[in-house]
Amino acid sequence: MRRTSEETKAVILTAARERFAADGYERATIRAIASDAGIDPSMVMRYYGNKDGLFAAAADVDLGLPDLTAIPREEVGRTLVAHFLDRWEGDEGMMILLRTGVTNESAAERMRGIFAAQLGPLVARLGSDPAQAALRAGLTATQILGMALCRYVLCLPPVVAMSRKEIVDWLGPTVQRYLAE
Amino acid sequence: MRRTSEETKAVILTAARERFAADGYERATIRAIASDAGIDPSMVMRYYGNKDGLFAAAADVDLGLPDLTAIPREEVGRTLVAHFLDRWEGDEGMMILLRTGVTNESAAERMRGIFAAQLGPLVARLGSDPAQAALRAGLTATQILGMALCRYVLCLPPVVAMSRKEIVDWLGPTVQRYLAE
DNA sequence: GTCTATAATTCGATAGAC
DNA sequence: GTCTATCGAATTATAGAC
């Protein structure tokens, strides 16, 4: 099939995101990604240089965090938990970060950067003690990422069985305490 | 160096645990493990058959969970958090399960089995509603594993900076609520 | 018990034709 | 823009000498 270069780049990137999300960095091979995209492996190199370049493009994730100062303070915990559930079930971005960040140092560095740049400032704007903002953001990350790990990656049966409402009801108060109490 | 077969097996297993913990399943090569152990790669095959056999031996982890019915009920959350901190900083067992379980399905299955067999019954013995025991164990896993992920694997700076006491003080009440409230 | 040699794959990456 | 062909390196795994 004949495409424009932009189309080809996009097709490759979509396949790459799915593979990195499903398999992690090492097992997501250029050959497999090219096969999914229905093109030759050399096309991947042509447009992204090497595997690292492709990964960098695939792992460019925006958490799309909501403005927590615009909602009632007692609702920030539940709101953030619900938002991350949407993010996890929406696209592969979070899965890419988690699956690759665990065995790839540059991916872990990217994960640190994303949380420092996006979750950190959000928590800081919530007010309270500025000196504690980083700590509170870190605590929040442990609970949010832990839920994602158990539910979407390790697939622990009792965690998979939980409904969306159950998760918000149980984790909401935890994140509320970490964020604002 | 000349050893007995038991010694050689043990030397290989020690090196394998460190490599699997540090690199995950894919990047922990038999060659690297053999090199660490100071022997030839073929020795690994001789004693463990193949890479899966070696991994099975390396990932045989006992959480060594304490009997929570023997301590005051209001202390179970803090006690469990402290125990897992010890486990994480004690040997490579937990790190192996986490690093490999994220990109290897058989390792994830092993993780599910270990938590179902060891954490589940522990929570069930705490009493309360038997129908909720699995849910409570799952919730506990999300917070415990999430802390480990952020602190020991992703190394998020504010989480790494926390002292042992801070972790127990912050996570203790969370796990207490998941376990027994 | 230890090692050499090597088979059989698989992977990332390059060169170049069309 | 797409593909064939291929290189060079790395991996798991096997066969067999000492």
Side-chain angles (χ1 to χ4, degrees):
Chain A
M1 191 189 332
R2 195 79 179 180
R3 305 182 189 83
T4 67
S5 72
E6 285 303 316
E7 282 170 345
T8 300
K9 281 193 72 169
V11 168
I12 292 171
L13 190 58
T14 298
R17 294 184 101 104
E18 291 173 1
R19 279 285 176 178
F20 281 126
D23 298 338
Y25 187 87
E26 332 292 338
R27 292 180 44 206
T29 65
I30 289 179
R31 288 168 142 86
I33 291 167
S35 175
D36 290 350
I39 49 96
D40 192 88
S42 63
M43 298 295 288
V44 178
M45 311 301 292
R46 175 175 171 84
Y47 286 113
Y48 293 95
N50 54 34
K51 189 173 178 178
D52 276 329
L54 177 61
F55 174 73
D60 188 14
V61 176
D62 182 357
L63 300 182
L65 294 174
D67 180 11
L68 293 183
T69 63
I71 59 170
R73 188 176 181 80
E74 67 274 14
E75 287 292 325
V76 295
R78 294 175 60 92
T79 300
L80 203 58
V81 171
H83 174 80
F84 272 103
L85 279 176
D86 288 340
R87 288 289 317 175
W88 274 94
E89 291 171 4
D91 63 43
E92 321 90 346
M94 299 289 294
M95 188 69 92
I96 292 173
L97 291 178
L98 188 45
R99 275 250 163 78
T100 60
V102 170
T103 50
N104 188 288
E105 174 53 27
S106 80
E109 173 61 30
R110 180 171 291 258
M111 175 75 103
R112 287 191 288 271
I114 287 175
F115 269 81
Q118 299 183 41
L119 184 61
L122 183 96
V123 175
R125 278 197 301 275
L126 269 180
S128 70
D129 182 4
Q132 270 203 330
L135 167 67
R136 289 178 180 277
L139 284 165
T140 300
T142 69
Q143 179 60 93
I144 296 286
L145 290 179
M147 168 55 72
L149 174 72
C150 294
R151 183 176 171 90
Y152 302 110
V153 179
L154 298 179
C155 300
L156 300 187
V159 182
V160 172
M162 290 179 76
S163 69
R164 177 192 173 88
K165 176 171 171 14
E166 280 182 305
I167 294 173
V168 174
D169 285 344
W170 276 103
L171 263 58
T174 297
V175 174
Q176 179 74 25
R177 183 165 64 88
Y178 292 164
L179 278 177
E181 288 177 14
Chain B
M1 190 184 343
R2 194 79 178 182
R3 305 182 189 83
T4 67
S5 70
E6 285 304 317
E7 282 170 346
T8 299
K9 281 192 72 169
V11 168
I12 293 171
L13 190 58
T14 298
R17 293 184 101 106
E18 290 174 2
R19 280 285 177 178
F20 280 125
D23 298 337
Y25 187 87
E26 332 293 336
R27 292 180 43 207
T29 65
I30 289 179
R31 288 166 138 84
I33 292 166
S35 175
D36 290 349
I39 49 97
D40 192 87
S42 63
M43 298 294 288
V44 178
M45 311 301 293
R46 176 175 170 84
Y47 287 112
Y48 293 95
N50 54 34
K51 189 173 178 177
D52 276 329
L54 176 62
F55 174 72
D60 188 14
V61 176
D62 181 357
L63 300 182
L65 294 174
D67 179 12
L68 293 183
T69 63
I71 59 171
R73 187 177 181 79
E74 67 274 15
E75 287 290 325
V76 295
R78 295 174 59 92
T79 301
L80 203 57
V81 171
H83 173 80
F84 272 102
L85 278 177
D86 288 339
R87 288 288 318 171
W88 274 93
E89 290 171 3
D91 63 43
E92 321 90 347
M94 299 289 293
M95 188 70 90
I96 292 173
L97 291 179
L98 188 45
R99 276 247 164 79
T100 61
V102 170
T103 50
N104 187 289
E105 174 52 28
S106 80
E109 174 61 31
R110 180 173 290 258
M111 176 76 103
R112 288 192 288 271
I114 286 174
F115 269 81
Q118 300 183 41
L119 185 61
L122 185 94
V123 176
R125 279 196 302 276
L126 268 180
S128 71
D129 182 4
Q132 270 203 329
L135 167 67
R136 290 178 180 277
L139 283 165
T140 300
T142 69
Q143 179 60 94
I144 296 285
L145 290 180
M147 167 54 73
L149 174 71
C150 294
R151 183 176 172 89
Y152 302 110
V153 179
L154 298 178
C155 300
L156 300 186
V159 182
V160 172
M162 291 180 76
S163 69
R164 177 191 172 88
K165 175 169 167 23
E166 279 181 307
I167 295 173
V168 174
D169 285 345
W170 276 102
L171 264 58
T174 297
V175 175
Q176 179 74 25
R177 184 165 64 88
Y178 292 164
L179 279 178
E181 287 178 14

